[in-house]
């Protein structure tokens, strides 16, 4: 079945960096757009970044210039490089196909201390 497994989160000081990894299975990865979402406590899940099958990227205004989404089709993997992290980036980060309502993974916790 379709599965997304997120990893790479952790605790980092403000201004630091993390790279998140999303391992996908059960889909033909190369023909799917991919996205990273995050959900902070008591907040709705929000779209952070997306990357099309052709490599076109889009970012939420709040992370533009700091985060970079990428993909490695040979590894069925998407990445989110997060630089200049801020406390407001603290959230559980998930990957999925954009707009999908199914197959959410457990996410990976990112905590940015001030």
């Amino acid at each position: 079945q379709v599965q997304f497994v997120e990893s790479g989160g952790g605790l980092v000081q403000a201004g630091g960096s993390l790279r998140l990894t999303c391992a996908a299975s059960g889909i033909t990865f190369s023909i799917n757009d991919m996205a990273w979402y995050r959900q902070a406590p008591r907040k709705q899940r929000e779209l952070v970044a997306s990357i099309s099958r052709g490599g076109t990227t889009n970012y939420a205004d709040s992370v533009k210039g700091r985060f970079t989404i990428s993909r490695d089709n040979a590894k069925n993997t998407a990445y989110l490089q997060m630089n200049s992290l801020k406390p407001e980036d603290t959230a559980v980060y998930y990957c999925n196909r954009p707009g999908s309502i199914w197959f959410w993974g457990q996410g990976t916790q990112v905590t940015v201390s001030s």
Side-chain angles (χ1 to χ4, degrees):
Q1 295 299 119
V2 178
Q3 188 175 20
F4 302 102
V5 179
E6 302 91 347
S7 62
L11 175 64
V12 64
Q13 294 183 27
S17 297
L18 287 171
R19 190 182 77 154
L20 307 184
T21 297
C22 169
S25 60
I27 63 171
T28 305
F29 184 83
S30 63
I31 66 170
N32 278 269
D33 298 351
M34 289 296 298
W36 284 94
Y37 297 80
R38 67 187 181 188
Q39 187 166 26
R42 298 176 297 279
K43 299 291 186 180
Q44 295 290 308
R45 182 181 290 119
E46 64 173 339
L47 179 65
V48 174
S50 64
I51 182 167
S52 75
R53 58 188 286 180
T56 300
T57 58
N58 287 283
Y59 300 93
D61 288 343
S62 59
V63 308
K64 195 169 297 181
R66 301 187 297 120
F67 290 11
T68 303
I69 187 171
S70 61
R71 64 192 297 157
D72 186 338
N73 289 342
K75 297 180 179 179
N76 287 355
T77 300
Y79 304 94
L80 186 68
Q81 178 67 46
M82 306 186 296
N83 298 326
S84 302
L85 282 161
K86 304 174 180 179
E88 50 262 48
D89 296 319
T90 295
V92 179
Y93 283 71
Y94 303 87
C95 62
N96 210 327
R97 293 173 286 190
S100 178
I101 62 172
W102 307 112
F103 304 115
W104 294 97
Q106 294 300 303
T108 187
Q109 175 72 50
V110 171
T111 303
V112 184
S113 65
S114 60

